[in-house]
Structures are given as structure tokens and as C-alpha cells.
Amino acid sequence: MRNWFAQCGRIRAGICLVAALCFFAPSVQAQDFLAPEQAFAFSARMRDAATIEVSFRIADGYYMYRDKIAISAEGATLGKVEIPRGTIKFDPNFDKELETLRQQLTIAIPVQANGSFQLKVTSQGCADKGLCYPPMESVATLSTANSGVDVAAPAADGEMGRIEASLASGRLILILPLFLLLGLGLSFTPCVLPMVPILSFIIAGEGAQTSRQRGLLLAVAYSLGMALVYTALGIAAGLIGEGLSATLQSPPILSAFAILMAVMALSMFDVYQLQIPASLQLALTRLSERQRGGKLLGVFVMGAISALIVGPCVAAPLAGALVYISQTRNVLIGGSALFAMAVGMSVPLLLVGISAGSLLPRAGAWMQTVKHFFGVLMLALALWMVSSLIPAWLLMLGWGLLGAGYGVFLMRDKSLGWRARILGTVFIALGAVQLLGLATGGRDAWSPLAQLRGQQHQKTEFTRVRSVAELDAALANTGGRRVMLDFYADWCVSCIEMEKLTFTNPEVKAKLDQMLLLQADVTANDDDDKALLKRFGLFGPPGIILFDAHGTEIRGTRVIGYQAPAQFLQSLQKAE
């Protein structure tokens, strides 16, 4: 505050005081005004080896003062800074005419440097509604070896940095192919794979004579429903400024969807038949004979519902798009990126559809075998969906009974011949491993026999922080150690994967033992949880923030989404 008043110069003391009171007033804390980082989004890059390009995306209804912009560098020599001319307006906050800048500000700065250096930009702006922000300092680490690479404040590198840079460019010709490829990579994650058996179930219901064209049409309808709802959920989360993960992964929604999958599975085993009254069935049959679009509409709705599975999965591409939407309110760019990513995630589904004619048997007892297989997939999906809601022993029991039961079922299947005995033996063995692990005290479905081999990994111990105040207190007392803050939730599949597969790795554990480990459990998604997520601009778990021994975040080291041990070790090494 003292520095701000010093910079006011000849401003009347009363006006400064009023502006200060307005800035800290509770009404300003509401969503009437954007945070300064959102109102004046900063980025910097090396246009070439001798030129820096500094940019500000200024939100609608906000402006910056031209004469309040100051630029300096450590480790480099800057040439003359030429700031574009603005518009002269009388500003009541300063009681004089000032030159203001709006929309987009780009400054080209000559520079002489060898290697990396730090750029500091001080700026100040206001909102048309009357709020005057204090001066804001933005810092970026640049290098003459990385020409053309954008750096946002706070500086970011790695995957998140590339994603943010592509979005900041605003060029759909670059954004759409990138997010399409990123979506293709996500299509093989546990969040997306469950949709494959759902679509397979739908195609199998068409009968043995399903053509490739019909299978592809069904897959397109299903994928389009998923993509549109996924995009809408992402846009809503970005505009609201909060993730929807907790809502979509709440126990009632997960339980309801799991029950639906189990009901569909039992019908595949002919436990019962889902039928509607004969009169209505006849009317629908006649309607379908005239128009097959009714079936496509149902498949489209099923895809839309399946978006509830995909929506809560936070990965770096999704996080980047949500942050971009929340900061710029640019629904066109952010929404297009999300839709392109959803299309990429749909590629396996389209392959299932287009191969339906060759994968599905044409006639005979094979159809019953495939029908039963889809039933098992449905049961497995139902169990997977509630895996975070039930005790570990019950999950192991479920996997064991499902595997062993299906194995016995296959052994009795005469249509498969010798293949049935091989497949049946494999499934029985997989189920037996889970049951043996459960009987001998194992409680980890990922590694059911670890306790018998003497390799049972101890759970990584974290210190829980339940609020921003507790986090600040912990960061103020690091004991000279680096700090890792892990955002976790019981319903977050990637979080559980990190705990079971990554944190237990011996090399990773050796690194973590040297750090102060903090964890924010945001399962409840209460006000304190939302405040912790908002503190770091996160929309949901998993998210890992690394701090130095002084409690300051180490830039460019954030981990969003699941990382395997080798990749996570590289992330930790960046913080050293």
C-alpha cells in the first residue's frame, strides 16, 4: 500500500484513499471485477534472437495506463522501449487526462543477451466501472535460444506451456490439430476407455447383420453426443471459474450410472428381458420402419450421458482450455479446442463403429458368446465406476468373482472349442489372484499379492491442509525443505493411480522423502476446497504444485493429470 501511495505522485490524498478502500471493499471481492491477472493477461516471448515481444490481452471493460508501463531485465540489455500510442481520456481516479490502452497491447523490445534472462514488466490498469488496480508486476524467464516460444505469467514450460502458448495465439489453424492429437492421446486413458464397451453394447444390439456403414453412423451419433456435452461442460466450468468434477463424480451420480450398467449387463445374460408393452412396441416398430433416426437420437443421448464419465478427468489439455476460457471469456477459441479434443478422444469409438461389420459374428452360437462378453464388460464398467466409493476388500472381491465367474462360464462354452479352455483358464487365474490376495490380507487391487512377496508398499504420508490459511502456515514453516502440494479426491481416478503406481516407485519415493509433502483433499468440494483450487487456478484434481524452501512456487513445474514414475521424476528434477 505504501508503494502505491508513493506512485500516486500529485494525486489527491482523498482520491487515493477512496481508490484503496474501493479496491479492498467486500463488494469488489465478488465476481463484478476480474482478478488483475485475468483483466490484464500477460505473456512474453522471444520473437527472434534479438527481439522480445511483450503482450497484454486486456479484457472488455478494462484499460491500462500507457505511462504506468515500465520494463526492465536482469541478465540482458534492453534497447529502446516503444509503447504503442493509446487514447486520451479524463480519468477521475487521477483527476487528469491520461493515455489509455485497450483490447490488445503488443510491445516489441530490442534485446542483447547470451542465454536466459529474466524480464520484469510493471503495469497498472482500471475497470470502466470505477475500480483502480494497484501496480502489477509480471515476470517471465526468457532465453535467446527459444525464439518464438510464449511464456505466460507465471512462467510455464513443458506441456502446459505449449498448450497455453497455442491458445494465446488465437489461431484455430494451429489450435485444432494440436488438441485433436492431445485428445487422441487421452483416448487410451481409464476415463475414456469405458465408453468403448458401451458403444459395443449398442452396436451388438443391432444384430448380426450390422453393416460397417450402420456401425459408423451409430459411432458418429454416440461420439457427437459425447463431444457436444463435454464441450458444454468445459465451457461452463471455465466461465464459472470452478471445475464440475465433484458434482459429476458425486456418489449418487456414480451409483446411478453403475446400476444402469449392471442392469444392462444382466439383460445380456438373459437374466430378464427389458421389454415395453406390446402395443407401444408395435407402434415404435412401425415408426422405426419409416425413420431410423429415432435410434440414432437414443444413441446420441447415450453419448451425452457418457460425457459424465469423461468430464471429471482433468488433464493438462483440459486444464489449459479451462484456464484460457476463465481468463479471456473467449468461448469460441476455448470451446473449439475442447471440441477438437473430444473428437480426438472419439477416434477409438469410430474405429469400433466402422469395424462392426467384420468384428461382430454373422450368425450362430458366436452371437451368444459375444453377447455374454459385452455383459461382462458392462459389469466391469459398473464396478470400476464405484471403485472409489467402496472398501478396498470389496473391490478385490468384486474383481475376483467377476474374473473367476466369467472364466468358469467360458470353460463351459462349447462354441469356442479349445479357445474357451485357454481364455477360461486366464480369467480364472486373474480372479484367483484377487481372491488369494484378499484372503491373505491384501487390500490393493492394483497389487493383490504384494504382501506375500514382501513388497507391500507403504502409503505415502502427507500432511493434510484444509484451507488457504493452513497452507500459508505450512509454507511459512518448511524447515528448509522443498514442498510438494498434492490436490487429491476420492473420486479422482488419476489421483488414485498416482498414489498406487507413481508415489510408490522406489526412485520417486526417495525424492519425496526429501520434501515436505502437503495434500489438499478436495473430495467434499466445500468452500475451503474451492478456495484452495482457485488459489492456483485449478479446476479439479489431480494437480501437483512444487515450492522452493522459502514457500514460493517453482515456475514451470506444475503437474496436471497422471504421470508415470519416469515422467514424474523428470518433473521433480525441474524443481531442484
Side-chain angles (χ1 to χ4, degrees):
M1 288 295 296
R2 186 175 303 166
N3 291 335
W4 185 25
F5 278 111
Q7 292 190 25
C8 287
R10 293 172 294 177
I11 304 175
R12 297 175 185 175
I15 294 177
C16 282
L17 179 59
V18 170
L21 291 175
C22 288
F23 179 74
F24 291 104
S27 62
V28 176
Q29 301 302 322
Q31 295 183 356
D32 293 338
F33 295 98
L34 297 174
E37 295 80 8
Q38 297 174 343
F40 317 104
F42 165 80
S43 65
R45 69 168 187 163
M46 294 297 301
R47 179 184 293 178
D48 53 51
T51 309
I52 303 170
E53 183 177 282
V54 171
S55 298
F56 283 94
R57 292 192 309 273
I58 306 172
D60 292 339
Y62 295 79
Y63 57 89
M64 295 176 63
Y65 296 112
R66 183 176 182 273
D67 65 348
K68 300 296 181 183
I69 298 175
I71 303 176
S72 62
E74 293 182 4
T77 302
L78 300 181
K80 184 179 180 180
V81 178
E82 296 186 355
I83 303 173
R85 307 303 303 186
T87 303
I88 303 295
K89 72 179 290 284
F90 178 80
D91 195 306
N93 292 317
F94 293 90
D95 195 26
K96 65 177 181 179
E97 289 187 340
L98 293 172
E99 196 168 357
T100 61
L101 303 159
R102 293 179 180 270
Q103 298 299 320
Q104 179 73 32
L105 170 62
T106 301
I107 308 171
I109 310 166
V111 62
Q112 293 181 356
N114 293 319
S116 62
F117 61 94
Q118 192 174 68
L119 183 74
K120 294 183 179 180
V121 181
T122 302
S123 59
Q124 187 176 9
C126 291
D128 287 335
K129 293 182 180 180
L131 175 65
C132 186
Y133 290 85
M136 177 178 72
E137 184 179 84
S138 304
V139 181
T141 300
L142 302 175
S143 174
T144 53
N146 295 327
S147 301
V149 178
D150 288 354
V151 181
D157 55 16
E159 186 177 10
M160 280 297 291
R162 291 190 295 271
I163 292 168
E164 291 173 358
S166 68
L167 289 169
S169 72
R171 301 173 63 185
L172 289 176
I173 194 172
L174 298 177
I175 295 171
L176 297 183
L178 172 63
F179 275 79
L180 184 68
L181 290 175
L182 292 172
L184 180 60
L186 291 175
S187 66
F188 300 101
T189 63
C191 290
V192 182
L193 283 178
M195 292 191 297
V196 173
I198 297 177
L199 179 60
S200 301
F201 172 87
I202 293 171
I203 295 176
E206 289 282 295
Q209 301 304 318
T210 304
S211 66
R212 295 192 180 204
Q213 292 81 0
R214 181 63 178 172
L216 178 60
L217 191 59
L218 292 171
V220 169
Y222 181 88
S223 300
L224 188 60
M226 182 276 291
L228 289 177
V229 172
Y230 180 80
T231 302
L233 289 173
I235 292 174
L239 293 177
I240 294 172
E242 297 176 3
L244 301 177
S245 303
T247 302
L248 297 179
Q249 293 283 276
S250 62
I253 290 180
L254 286 177
S255 300
F257 208 86
I259 291 173
L260 175 62
M261 293 298 102
V263 168
M264 293 170 64
L266 294 179
S267 69
M268 300 297 278
F269 287 100
D270 296 323
V271 175
Y272 61 89
Q273 290 185 347
L274 292 174
Q275 290 186 344
I276 56 178
S279 59
L280 181 58
Q281 191 176 44
L282 178 61
L284 291 175
T285 300
R286 291 174 178 173
L287 179 63
S288 65
E289 289 174 353
R290 295 194 299 267
Q291 180 180 358
R292 300 190 76 184
K295 177 64 178 290
L296 294 179
L297 178 61
V299 174
F300 177 89
V301 172
M302 195 62 186
I305 295 174
S306 298
L308 300 177
I309 302 175
V310 185
C313 297
V314 177
L318 175 59
L322 296 186
V323 169
Y324 177 82
I325 294 174
S326 68
Q327 290 183 347
T328 67
R329 315 311 250 196
N330 191 327
V331 173
L332 175 62
I333 297 295
S336 298
L338 289 173
F339 186 79
M341 186 164 62
V343 171
M345 292 188 292
S346 302
V347 169
L349 303 176
L350 298 177
L351 293 177
V352 169
I354 201 171
S355 60
S358 58
L359 290 182
L360 294 179
R362 292 296 178 183
W366 267 91
M367 276 305 298
Q368 283 297 107
T369 301
V370 173
K371 183 178 176 182
H372 296 153
F373 175 69
F374 287 146
V376 172
L377 288 180
M378 293 290 105
L379 289 175
L381 175 59
L383 185 58
W384 176 81
M385 293 195 70
V386 298
S387 60
S388 62
L389 307 178
I390 60 178
W393 68 267
L394 186 56
L395 178 62
M396 293 181 67
L397 179 62
W399 288 125
L401 293 178
L402 183 61
Y406 186 51
V408 172
F409 188 86
L410 284 173
M411 296 283 279
R412 299 173 58 187
D413 191 338
K414 304 300 183 182
S415 65
L416 290 176
W418 59 270
R419 300 179 186 85
R421 291 188 292 274
I422 295 177
L423 292 174
T425 301
V426 171
F427 277 97
I428 290 174
L430 292 174
V433 168
Q434 292 287 336
L435 296 176
L436 177 61
L438 176 63
T440 55
R443 292 298 181 267
D444 186 355
W446 297 86
S447 184
L449 301 181
Q451 73 282 356
L452 296 180
R453 302 192 303 267
Q455 296 177 347
Q456 193 166 13
H457 298 292
Q458 294 183 350
K459 185 177 180 180
T460 304
E461 295 296 331
F462 288 89
T463 299
R464 288 287 176 89
V465 290
R466 297 172 178 81
S467 65
V468 172
E470 289 189 10
L471 173 62
D472 288 337
L475 293 177
N477 187 24
T478 66
R481 292 175 292 173
R482 288 177 292 114
V483 182
M484 185 181 88
L485 172 62
D486 174 44
F487 281 89
Y488 168 90
D490 291 340
W491 38 259
C492 171
V493 175
S494 296
C495 301
I496 297 173
E497 287 181 322
M498 288 292 289
E499 282 203 342
K500 302 292 186 182
L501 305 178
T502 301
F503 294 162
T504 56
N505 177 272
E507 292 182 63
V508 172
K509 190 167 180 56
K511 293 280 188 182
L512 296 182
D513 288 342
Q514 303 171 15
M515 306 174 70
L516 172 61
L517 303 180
L518 305 177
Q519 189 174 72
D521 187 341
V522 296
T523 302
N525 197 36
D526 56 24
D527 290 341
D528 285 336
D529 294 344
K530 293 176 181 178
L532 280 166
L533 288 167
K534 190 173 182 180
R535 166 81 170 264
F536 299 98
L538 298 178
F539 289 81
I544 293 176
I545 315 295
L546 300 174
F547 304 84
D548 61 22
H550 304 290
T552 302
E553 181 182 351
I554 304 172
R555 300 181 180 185
T557 60
R558 289 191 177 190
V559 175
I560 306 296
Y562 171 75
Q563 285 190 352
Q567 185 180 5
F568 187 62
L569 279 171
Q570 294 178 358
S571 299
L572 293 178
Q573 289 171 357
K574 293 179 184 178
E576 294 180 348

